[in-house]
Amino acid sequence: MVCQTYAPYRGFRIDVQVTTGKTLCLHNVGRRYKVSWTISSSSQPVQKVASFPEQLEFISEQDAFRYAEKRAHTFIDCMHSEDSAIYSLRDVGGGREEAPRA
C-alpha cells in the first residue's frame, strides 16, 4: 500500500491510500490499483471527518491518486456549500417576522 498526504484544503487534511491488486486480462494477469481516501481536520488529524474506499480500479497508481484527490476536494467543497446555504437561510429568515397578510 502506498500512502500520500496532501496539503491542507479548506481546513481539512486529505490522506490517500492506493493498494495494488491483480486482475485477469485477456491474455494474462494485469496490475490494477484500488484507492481509498480519508478527510480529517487539519487542526486535529486524528479526528476523521469522512473515509471512502472507491469501488473503481485504475490502470496506474498516479491516476488513482489524482482521482482520489479530486473526489476529496469535491466532497469538501460540497460540505462548505451546504454550510454556507444553512447559514444564508438563517440570515434570511433569522428572527424576522412577516407582516400578516390581509
Side-chain angles (χ1 to χ4, degrees):
M1 176 180 356
V2 180
C3 300
Q4 187 169 340
T5 299
Y6 291 89
Y9 181 74
R10 293 188 170 202
F12 293 94
R13 173 182 161 159
I14 300 169
D15 295 308
V16 177
Q17 300 85 31
V18 174
T19 56
T20 305
K22 294 183 179 179
T23 301
L24 283 177
C25 296
L26 291 175
H27 301 293
N28 59 4
V29 176
R31 183 174 288 178
R32 295 290 186 260
Y33 300 91
K34 290 193 148 246
V35 66
S36 62
W37 48 276
T38 303
I39 297 171
S40 56
S41 170
S42 290
S43 60
Q44 299 174 355
V46 178
Q47 180 183 353
K48 290 184 181 179
V49 174
S51 184
F52 296 96
E54 294 289 345
Q55 298 300 314
L56 303 172
E57 291 184 343
F58 297 88
I59 294 174
S60 77
E61 195 174 78
Q62 294 81 14
D63 287 342
F65 277 116
R66 264 193 303 273
Y67 176 84
E69 181 186 18
K70 288 180 183 179
R71 294 287 292 173
H73 283 200
T74 301
F75 184 85
I76 292 167
D77 290 341
C78 287
M79 285 191 327
H80 274 276
S81 69
E82 285 179 10
D83 286 345
S84 63
I86 290 169
Y87 290 127
S88 65
L89 285 175
R90 287 181 188 162
D91 292 342
V92 170
R96 288 190 229 154
E97 293 182 27
E98 291 184 21
R101 295 183 186 191

